[in-house]
């Protein structure tokens, strides 16, 4: 088990690092507590021991799916890992790196230069891709690599500690197999010095890191792109606002989102979810790069120019493989006709795409639009605040979401999507200790009532059925929840959402839950932490604890203040016999919610149709030492 990083390091070590207590990178020796510091020319003095600090570029790598590989062929995997460790040793020396530790399937390397660290990482991944080209896909050993530049503490044996290491490990956990991710500090150091293309993944609130960290994914020429689906695939990029008024951003976002929604109703199309498409907002990107990163054949670009009572919408469809334009059109209309314009744009693009394979659905249903664009503006502002809340779990973001939804519904009292999102805010307030609504029956009832209201105003709104299914599970209405989830898929086969995974997880079908969570992550490559959380919970029920640990660590790394990810991770560590790590996760739960108990909290929100599933979870929580 690696010390000093998010993926290999135990949670207990993270907590000590966060408090200024160094932890060993290669042993289980007790940490030395820093009682006092005396600043000297060479470093810091603590309890008779001199501690050095320095700025360093830290590279952390580990093997994706290592437990699965060992489970299917331990001897072959171990032999392959040894060969690849030699590659890391060689490349690290070539680029003046110092290998600090290589425990298990991981490696931690220190460099004096971020440029050297990035060059080393790219060469490692290039060589790995060449070696894997002749190996069956399910037997390939692929590294995830993360790089950060930061201050580190160095002990007399050369071990390194601190946030500089922890951030590198958290960044590594966000990299896809065979790729490399950089922290914002690392990217600033190498920008303009290396011929690389990067994608801005946005800011993440990393576990045990005080400030959010912006993360960049490096596209490697030899890294395999996502495989194209077996049907026409498209990503709708955020329409550019050319109005000169920043307040009109939400107007363009609304047009883009509605086109995504309309296109996704065609079962013969593969449509990337809004969350991933909107990662490119405000960035000058090559459409070919979009195609590689999202695994789509086409991208739709567009712009909005709004002036007075008129609007001009320009759109163009681009082949992401060649960069060739397949279709372009411009619409000049009075603003009152804007919904007809959106409908026309969506129909035209869908028809052109379908023409490539000579098949498309003849029927589709329309979302009920709000009465005015002011209602939509507030809805989009609410959606932005909601995305922030799901990462931060801060009450002010929840309140901002509700304020905008109230404004939206004040303008259009029949706007179904606003009711659906408002239901989500009450459901989350019931589930998590953010305000006085926590675990109060009236709050859950309100969430269910709001979801039903959304369906009443728009019977074809998939997210409303998903929200209803997620909530009525809490009332043990399993049959109705499954029916609502099935209605979602009937309305929109491209609807990607973790809530559908939870329904199947709760009714005792974790394999189906994994299938839905995987679909969410494929349709939304920049998915929120809920998708890996559902993957981890489902693997736990299947008693596939090593796989559960992988996904749950990703989920808690992305949302460190979400108590239920820590709960399942505590139970998982306990079932693996790693009691120290389990107790550290239990401590994290009680930090977030000091009133947490197994019976009073977890049993109230963890509703299972099969009694053995709740007993299995409670067994793990008790082993982790959580209060009854």
């Amino acid at each position: 088990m690696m010390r000093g990083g998010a993926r290999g390091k135990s949670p207990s070590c993270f907590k000590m690092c966060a408090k200024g207590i160094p932890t060993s990178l290669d042993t289980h020796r007790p940490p030395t507590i820093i009682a006092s510091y005396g600043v000297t020319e060479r470093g810091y003095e603590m309890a008779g021991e001199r501690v050095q600090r320095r700025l360093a570029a830290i590279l952390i790598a580990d093997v994706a799916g290592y437990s699965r590989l060992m489970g299917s062929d331990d001897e072959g995997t171990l032999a392959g890992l040894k060969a690849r460790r030699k590659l890391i040793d060689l490349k690290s020396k070539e680029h003046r790196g110092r290998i600090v530790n290589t425990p298990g399937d991981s490696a931690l390397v220190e460099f004096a230069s971020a440029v050297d660290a990035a060059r080393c990482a790219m060469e490692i991944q290039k060589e790995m891709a060449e070696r894997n080209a002749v190996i069956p896909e399910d037997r390939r050993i692929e590294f995830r690599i993360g790089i950060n530049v930061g201050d580190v503490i160095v002990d007399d044996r050369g071990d390194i500690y601190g946030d500089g290491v922890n951030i590198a490990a958290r960044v590594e956990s966000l990299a896809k197999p065979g790729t490399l991710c950089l922290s914002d500090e690392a990217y600033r150091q190498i920008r303009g010095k290396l011929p690389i293309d990067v994608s801005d993944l946005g800011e993440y609130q990393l576990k045990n890191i005080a400030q959010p960290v912006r993360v960049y994914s490096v596209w490697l020429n030899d890294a395999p792109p996502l495989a194209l689906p077996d049907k026409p695939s498209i990503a709708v990029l955020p329409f550019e606002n050319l109005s000169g008024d920043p307040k009109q951003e939400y107007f363009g976002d609304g047009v883009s989102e509605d086109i995504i929604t309309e296109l996704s109703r065609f079962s013969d199309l593969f449509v990337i979810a809004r969350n991933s498409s909107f990662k490119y907002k405000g960035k000058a990107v090559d459409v070919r790069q979009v195609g590689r990163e999202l695994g789509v054949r086409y991208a739709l670009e567009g712009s909005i120019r709004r002036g007075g009572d008129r609007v001009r919408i320009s759109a163009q469809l681009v082949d992401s493989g060649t960069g060739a334009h397949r279709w372009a059109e411009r619409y000049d209309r009075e603003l009152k006709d804007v919904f007809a314009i959106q409908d026309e744009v969506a129909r035209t693009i869908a028809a052109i795409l379908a023409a490539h394979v000579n098949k498309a659905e003849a029927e589709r249903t329309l979302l009920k639009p709000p009465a005015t664009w002011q209602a939509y503006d507030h809805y989009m502002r609410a959606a932005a605040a909601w995305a922030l809340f799901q990462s931060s779990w801060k009450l002010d973001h929840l309140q901002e979401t509700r304020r905008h939804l109230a404004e939206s519904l004040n303008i259009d009292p029949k706007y179904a999507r606003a009711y659906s999102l408002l239901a989500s805010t009450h459901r989350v307030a019931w589930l998590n200790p953010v305000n006085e609504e926590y675990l109060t029956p009236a709050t859950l009832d309100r969430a269910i009532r709001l979801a039903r209201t959304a369906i009443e105003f728009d019977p074809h709104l998939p997210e409303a059925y998903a929200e209803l299914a997620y909530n009525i599970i809490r009332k043990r209405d399993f049959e109705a929840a499954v029916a609502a989830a099935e209605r979602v898929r009937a309305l929109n086969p491209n609807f990607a959402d973790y809530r559908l995974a939870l329904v199947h997880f709760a009714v005792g079908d974790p394999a189906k839950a994994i299938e839905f969570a995987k679909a969410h992550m494929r349709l939304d490559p920049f998915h929120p932490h809920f998708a890996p959380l559902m993957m981890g919970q489902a693997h736990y029920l299947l008693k596939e604890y090593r796989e559960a640990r992988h996904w749950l660590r990703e989920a808690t790394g992305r949302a460190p203040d979400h108590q239920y990810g820590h709960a399942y991770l505590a139970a998982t560590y306990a079932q693996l016999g790693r009691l120290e790590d389990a107790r550290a996760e239990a401590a994290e739960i009680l930090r977030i919610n000091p009133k947490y108990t197994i019976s009073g909290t977890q049993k109230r929100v963890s509703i299972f149709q099969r009694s053995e599933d709740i007993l299995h979870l409670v067994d793990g929580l008790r082993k982790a030492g959580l209060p009854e």
Side-chain angles (χ1 to χ4, degrees):
M1 179 174 68
M2 187 178 78
R3 302 291 182 188
R7 293 180 61 79
K9 181 178 176 183
S10 73
S12 58
C13 292
F14 277 124
K15 293 182 69 181
M16 289 186 285
C17 284
K19 296 178 182 178
I21 304 173
T23 61
S24 171
L25 288 169
D26 58 350
T27 71
H28 292 279
R29 65 179 183 270
T32 302
I33 299 179
I34 302 176
S36 62
Y37 289 101
V39 180
T40 70
E41 290 183 358
R42 297 181 57 195
Y44 294 90
E45 207 169 283
M46 63 175 194
E49 187 179 343
R50 300 179 73 81
V51 176
Q52 298 294 318
R53 286 185 178 272
R54 61 175 174 243
L55 191 66
I58 301 101
L59 180 155
I60 291 182
D62 81 350
V63 175
Y66 180 67
S67 300
R68 174 184 58 79
L69 292 167
M70 287 294 288
S72 59
D73 180 11
D74 53 359
E75 292 184 0
T77 298
L78 185 58
L81 180 59
K82 288 180 178 179
R84 284 149 181 80
R85 273 184 178 159
K86 292 180 181 178
L87 171 64
I88 293 178
D89 291 346
L90 174 64
K91 293 299 180 183
S92 297
K93 290 175 183 177
E94 286 181 1
H95 294 280
R96 296 173 291 278
R98 180 180 75 91
I99 295 179
V100 179
N101 203 2
T102 57
D105 62 320
S106 307
L108 185 146
V109 189
E110 180 188 17
F111 296 82
S113 161
V115 173
D116 286 342
R119 281 181 175 146
C120 177
M122 289 189 291
E123 290 186 15
I124 288 171
Q125 295 293 40
K126 180 179 179 180
E127 177 69 23
M128 291 287 289
E130 291 175 355
R131 295 186 185 189
N132 282 330
V134 296
I135 298 175
E137 187 173 348
D138 63 345
R139 298 300 311 140
R140 292 175 182 173
I141 294 178
E142 295 180 294
F143 283 117
R144 294 184 177 92
I145 298 180
I147 296 176
N148 177 49
V149 173
D151 185 70
V152 297
I153 298 173
V154 189
D155 71 7
D156 56 353
R157 284 178 287 187
D159 287 347
I160 58 177
Y161 319 96
D163 278 356
V165 177
N166 294 343
I167 291 174
R170 297 300 185 198
V171 168
E172 176 267 316
S173 72
L174 299 176
K176 296 183 183 298
T179 68
L180 157 69
C181 278
L182 306 168
S183 70
D184 51 356
E185 190 60 42
Y187 180 54
R188 279 195 289 269
Q189 295 289 329
I190 69 173
R191 186 169 50 199
K193 299 174 184 176
L194 292 175
I196 61 172
D197 293 323
V198 302
S199 293
D200 184 351
L201 302 185
E203 287 191 341
Y204 284 89
Q205 185 66 59
L206 303 177
K207 182 178 179 181
N208 289 332
I209 304 300
Q211 299 299 320
V213 175
R214 186 167 292 277
V215 179
Y216 296 86
S217 175
V218 177
W219 186 80
L220 304 170
N221 289 331
D222 296 303
L226 285 173
L228 289 173
D230 58 358
K231 54 185 176 180
S233 50
I234 184 171
V236 179
L237 302 181
F239 276 39
E240 185 180 3
N241 173 30
L242 301 179
S243 301
D245 180 1
K247 294 181 180 179
Q248 301 303 324
E249 288 292 325
Y250 290 96
F251 182 89
D253 291 350
V255 172
S256 306
E257 182 171 278
D258 275 2
I259 291 174
I260 292 171
T261 302
E262 299 303 333
L263 287 174
S264 68
R265 295 184 182 282
F266 288 80
S267 62
D268 290 324
L269 301 181
F270 182 96
V271 184
I272 288 294
R274 174 196 184 276
N275 182 59
S276 287
S277 294
F278 272 57
K279 287 291 184 180
Y280 300 96
K281 180 176 170 61
K283 302 179 180 66
V285 295
D286 186 334
V287 171
R288 288 170 292 189
Q289 177 185 344
V290 173
R292 292 192 299 262
E293 293 179 343
L294 299 184
V296 292
R297 174 70 69 188
Y298 303 99
L300 180 74
E301 298 178 307
S303 63
I304 300 285
R305 188 184 298 277
R306 182 176 173 181
D309 60 353
R310 297 191 66 83
V311 62
R312 171 176 290 180
I313 302 177
S314 298
Q316 58 184 9
L317 185 65
V318 183
D319 187 316
S320 64
T322 64
H325 289 191
R326 295 291 185 182
W327 167 84
E329 189 58 87
R330 187 177 69 188
Y331 303 88
D332 290 291
R333 299 288 192 276
E334 290 185 12
L335 192 57
K336 65 182 180 180
D337 296 326
V338 71
F339 292 113
I341 297 170
Q342 287 177 237
D343 182 34
E344 183 180 353
V345 171
R347 284 179 181 271
T348 304
I349 296 169
I352 289 174
L353 281 176
H356 286 282
V357 291
N358 297 316
K359 60 179 181 179
E361 288 182 349
E363 296 181 357
R364 67 186 185 90
T365 52
L366 297 175
L367 278 177
K368 177 179 174 60
T372 72
W373 270 102
Q374 288 79 10
Y376 203 99
D377 282 349
H378 282 292
Y379 172 79
M380 293 303 296
R381 293 174 190 271
W386 180 242
L388 285 174
F389 171 75
Q390 289 179 308
S391 173
S392 70
W393 298 96
K394 293 181 178 178
L395 178 59
D396 57 343
H397 292 148
L398 179 68
Q399 292 171 334
E400 183 182 358
T401 303
R402 288 180 175 174
R403 281 196 300 271
H404 284 297
L405 291 174
E407 290 290 342
S408 180
L409 290 171
N410 184 53
I411 296 167
D412 182 0
K414 296 183 179 181
Y415 188 20
R417 299 176 75 185
Y419 282 110
S420 180
L421 184 53
L422 188 58
S424 298
T425 71
H426 288 287
R427 178 251 303 170
V428 165
W430 181 80
L431 280 168
N432 297 276
V434 292
N435 63 7
E436 69 282 356
E437 297 174 78
Y438 180 49
L439 293 180
T440 59
T443 301
L444 180 59
D445 291 340
R446 187 178 304 116
I448 294 173
R449 186 169 62 253
L450 287 166
R452 294 191 188 279
T453 301
I455 292 170
E456 177 185 347
F457 285 125
D458 188 350
H460 306 295
L461 187 62
E463 56 257 48
Y465 287 97
E467 184 64 30
L468 179 64
Y470 195 95
N471 291 334
I472 60 179
I473 279 285
R474 315 295 175 183
K475 298 286 189 177
R476 303 192 66 83
D477 195 347
F478 299 108
E479 185 176 346
V482 171
E486 290 174 349
R487 180 62 177 155
V488 172
R489 302 297 289 177
L491 286 170
N492 184 350
N494 284 292
F495 186 79
D497 198 282
Y498 66 92
R499 288 170 290 192
L500 303 182
L502 179 132
V503 170
H504 292 280
F505 163 79
V507 300
D509 192 354
K512 191 72 171 178
I514 290 171
E515 178 184 328
F516 275 99
K518 283 182 176 178
H520 184 165
M521 290 188 283
R522 178 59 186 93
L523 286 165
D524 187 356
F526 300 120
H527 49 267
H529 80 281
F530 292 110
L533 176 63
M534 293 301 150
M535 288 284 285
Q537 291 177 342
H539 280 293
Y540 180 89
L541 285 197
L542 291 169
K543 299 185 178 180
E544 297 170 348
Y545 301 123
R546 297 186 188 279
E547 289 297 320
R549 177 178 65 104
H550 164 74
W551 293 110
L552 292 169
R553 285 173 63 184
E554 179 179 341
T556 54
R558 293 187 178 194
D561 290 329
H562 190 207
Q563 63 178 333
Y564 301 115
H566 291 292
Y568 270 88
L569 188 52
T572 298
Y573 276 130
Q575 300 294 10
L576 286 168
R578 293 172 53 172
L579 296 182
E580 179 186 354
D581 293 332
R583 293 188 183 104
E585 289 298 321
E588 282 292 282
I589 299 166
L590 296 175
R591 172 188 66 82
I592 298 165
N593 180 11
K595 296 181 180 180
Y596 175 98
T597 63
I598 295 174
S599 296
T601 304
Q602 197 70 45
K603 281 186 177 181
R604 291 180 66 182
V605 301
S606 300
I607 307 300
F608 295 98
Q609 191 168 18
R610 301 187 309 184
S611 60
E612 60 265 33
D613 289 336
I614 188 62
L615 292 175
H616 179 198
L617 174 58
V618 168
D619 177 62
L621 296 172
R622 284 173 176 160
K623 289 177 180 176
L626 282 156
E628 190 66 39

